[in-house]
Amino acid sequence: MVDRSPFVVVANRLPVDEVTTDTPGGRVTGSGDSARRWRRSPGGLVTALHPVLVERHGTWIGWSGSPGPAPEPFELDGINLRPVPLSEEDLERYYEGQSNATIWPLYHDNVEPPVFRRRWREAYRVVNRRYAEAAAEVAAEGATVWVQDYQLQLVPAMLRELRPDLKIGFFLHIPFPPIELFMQLPQRAEVLRGLLGADLVGFQQRLAAQNFIRLARHLLGTPYHGNVIEYEGRQVKADAFPISIDVGEMQRLADNPLVRERAVQIRAELGDPKTVILGVDRLDYTKGIEHRLKAYRELLAAGRLSVPESVMVQVATPSRERVEHYQALRIKVEREVGRINGDFGRVGVPAVHYLHQSYSRSELAALYCAADVMMVTPLRDGMNLVAKEYVAARLEHGGALVLSEFAGAAGELRQAFLCNPHDLDAVKDALMRAVTVDEHEARRRMSVMQRHLRRHDVARWASDFLTELGAIP
């Protein structure tokens, strides 16, 4: 007998990491040679939804992170976890293929050309059906189901077909493209109908919601009034719900004496420069890392910045390393880092410290505390939570944020030094304004942004979405 839940989250991944069986804490599944140990993974989404899942005896459906058969359902930190199996072929075709080589670049303004493969589309359909069936199995009568992100855009309609009694929400964490880009998608009508299976479709920005409403009218001829679409005898609402971070958690980390001490140590290891410029990104072609490095190189070449008075630290977290676009990007970025250090570095004093590795939350907080200037310059981004983390971590210490106009966060963090990342001169000017800003002005700007974040944290985001979903008849 399956335990049914009144609240279900459906996401590509479960909010857990598998750890070695001798790691203390966590939850063990299986026994003997097949024993596996799990612990909750860090992240804003699980932080926001954990209290709701515990209070409502909710279930989270997703992949465990390991290809092959799924472990049995288990409970961790008060959340019921229902793993969905993904094979190596599923990962290659559904995840690396359709999700990340087709949909991801298309939704990010074709920064890299999307790749279209029929076998990927079929795998995407099959895997989405698997997730929908899992949700239909565990959801109680009249339950609320919240589907997350671009990997699962067919799930809402599939789930509604299986369980018309459910209240279904969908949230897209990445941008939603304008009509002329979306129309390139071979699966376009199927994806759109998939999303329209939800009662509420949430986006990071109001413009994305408007794109969705116009697309439904253009492609399917659906009437709408305001932000409500009339579809197959139902009303589907589309609206903006900008996601945020756990502000309190980041501020507590930044205020931790060990983190503060580590921040001082980082500056010392960098040679105590006058200005530390920081970038923290997944190694992704949408993040504008190459453009940022070129802007820094040109400022050094022009003598507007110099080494060792300034230093750049670029953290590039490994990402989707089996996808061809990402392999090519790593080569380009590392070539540019080598060029800058060859031209402007000295023995033991590089101009750019490039770190292609992942870091703990506490180490990231220490880097935020150590940095005078944070550069967040994506070519396109749904939100970008790194920008918000930096602002939260600065406490009363000032600092400056250089932020792309094409990050969703730019709509909220208006006191950042905004720039067009496609315009290298604009990036250079924004960076120089951030480097030379008066300390009082820097504190004022940071204080305004921090007040906004405290009022609009990730718990508020989840509450706003679920309240809106609950109010839909």
Side-chain angles (χ1 to χ4, degrees):
M1 179 68 180
V2 176
D3 289 333
R4 301 211 173 231
S5 297
F7 180 59
V8 180
V9 174
V10 187
N12 177 62
R13 279 291 302 267
L14 289 173
V16 296
D17 293 319
E18 186 170 4
V19 294
T20 56
T21 52
D22 56 357
T23 302
R27 173 66 187 266
V28 177
T29 61
S31 59
D33 292 341
S34 63
R36 302 167 75 177
R37 185 179 293 274
W38 310 88
R39 68 180 176 200
R40 202 170 102 193
S41 55
L45 186 60
V46 65
T47 300
L49 296 181
H50 183 261
V52 186
L53 284 158
V54 172
E55 180 186 343
R56 302 192 192 182
H57 306 287
T59 297
W60 190 305
I61 293 169
W63 176 52
S64 69
S66 298
E72 289 297 312
F74 61 100
E75 181 270 335
L76 179 64
D77 291 352
I79 305 175
N80 300 310
L81 300 171
R82 166 66 156 80
V84 172
L86 292 180
S87 66
E88 286 284 2
E89 185 177 280
D90 291 332
L91 290 173
E92 178 192 342
R93 296 184 177 184
Y94 145 78
Y95 183 72
E96 294 172 349
Q98 183 69 8
S99 295
N100 288 312
T102 301
I103 295 170
W104 177 271
L106 186 72
Y107 282 29
H108 285 87
D109 291 355
N110 280 8
V111 171
E112 288 284 342
V115 181
F116 303 112
R117 297 280 187 273
R118 280 174 288 190
R119 64 179 180 273
W120 292 355
R121 297 197 286 277
E122 180 56 28
Y124 187 82
R125 190 177 294 119
V126 168
V127 171
N128 271 244
R129 172 70 63 179
R130 195 177 303 158
Y131 277 81
E133 288 172 349
E137 183 181 351
V138 305
E141 184 74 21
T144 294
V145 180
W146 194 0
V147 185
Q148 306 287 331
D149 223 5
Y150 65 103
Q151 304 96 340
L152 302 175
Q153 293 176 98
L154 304 183
V155 168
M158 291 174 168
L159 183 56
R160 185 162 298 283
E161 182 184 352
L162 294 167
R163 292 286 305 276
D165 60 295
L166 300 177
K167 184 159 284 191
I168 303 170
F170 179 91
F171 186 77
L172 185 68
H173 293 256
I174 68 174
F176 191 80
I179 290 172
E180 60 271 19
L181 286 182
F182 189 91
M183 293 298 286
Q184 296 178 25
L185 191 65
Q187 212 175 1
R188 61 196 187 190
E190 185 180 5
V191 169
L192 181 56
R193 291 183 187 278
L195 294 172
L196 287 168
D199 297 292
L200 175 63
V201 185
F203 300 90
Q204 299 281 21
Q205 294 179 282
R206 192 171 305 280
L207 181 59
Q210 292 169 352
N211 285 345
F212 177 71
I213 292 166
R214 291 176 187 137
L215 176 70
R217 175 73 173 185
H218 177 80
L219 193 56
L220 302 179
T222 55
Y224 68 92
H225 50 92
N227 60 349
V228 176
I229 300 169
E230 302 287 343
Y231 179 69
E232 295 188 343
R234 297 186 299 110
Q235 291 189 335
V236 180
K237 188 169 186 178
D239 212 343
F241 301 88
I243 198 170
S244 192
I245 62 168
D246 185 346
V247 176
E249 179 251 1
M250 180 51 67
Q251 290 184 331
R252 285 189 295 273
L253 266 178
D255 207 30
N256 184 305
L258 293 176
V259 171
R260 305 299 304 177
E261 183 180 331
R262 175 64 184 140
V264 172
Q265 184 183 1
I266 287 171
R267 291 192 70 98
E269 290 170 355
L270 294 171
D272 282 318
K274 179 183 177 184
T275 306
V276 175
I277 303 165
L278 176 64
V280 175
D281 310 85
R282 279 189 314 102
L283 187 58
D284 190 291
Y285 50 79
T286 65
K287 300 300 182 182
I289 299 172
E290 276 185 281
H291 300 64
R292 185 184 312 161
L293 288 167
K294 288 176 182 175
Y296 182 55
R297 169 167 55 80
E298 289 187 10
L299 288 171
L300 291 173
R304 297 173 69 186
L305 291 175
S306 61
V307 179
E309 287 75 19
S310 69
V311 64
M312 176 177 279
V313 177
Q314 177 61 59
V315 176
T317 305
S319 174
R320 302 168 190 165
E321 294 183 284
R322 301 198 305 185
V323 178
E324 186 178 345
H325 286 322
Y326 292 78
Q327 296 167 354
L329 174 66
R330 181 176 181 182
I331 292 169
K332 291 178 186 175
V333 167
E334 292 179 356
R335 184 184 296 137
E336 184 64 35
V337 170
R339 178 180 176 183
I340 294 170
N341 284 334
D343 289 348
F344 303 103
R346 304 177 190 172
V347 175
V349 187
V352 178
H353 292 256
Y354 172 73
L355 305 161
H356 183 244
Q357 51 198 276
S358 300
Y359 283 93
S360 67
R361 298 286 294 160
S362 58
E363 184 72 1
L364 282 176
L367 283 165
Y368 295 149
C369 293
D372 303 290
V373 177
M374 182 84 206
M375 292 195 75
V376 179
T377 54
L379 307 179
R380 192 76 174 92
D381 214 334
M383 179 52 62
N384 197 293
L385 298 180
V386 166
K388 294 187 173 184
E389 288 179 347
Y390 176 74
V391 170
R394 294 306 296 176
L395 301 175
E396 74 284 359
H397 302 292
L401 172 64
V402 176
L403 181 59
S404 165
E405 297 168 357
F406 302 111
E412 298 178 82
L413 305 179
R414 305 300 299 176
Q415 289 70 35
F417 294 92
L418 300 177
C419 65
N420 175 0
H422 301 276
D423 181 349
L424 280 187
D425 290 334
V427 176
K428 286 153 56 178
D429 289 345
L431 177 54
M432 287 309 302
R433 287 168 60 211
V435 167
T436 59
V437 66
D438 169 81
E439 185 176 335
H440 174 76
E441 174 65 7
R443 288 176 187 269
R444 185 196 67 79
R445 287 171 177 255
M446 198 60 67
S447 176
V448 173
M449 292 189 286
Q450 287 170 341
R451 279 201 304 274
H452 173 84
L453 290 185
R454 283 193 291 270
R455 292 194 302 268
H456 299 87
D457 66 358
V458 72
R460 165 83 178 268
W461 166 79
S463 174
D464 285 351
F465 185 96
L466 291 173
T467 299
E468 190 74 42
L469 179 59
I472 293 174

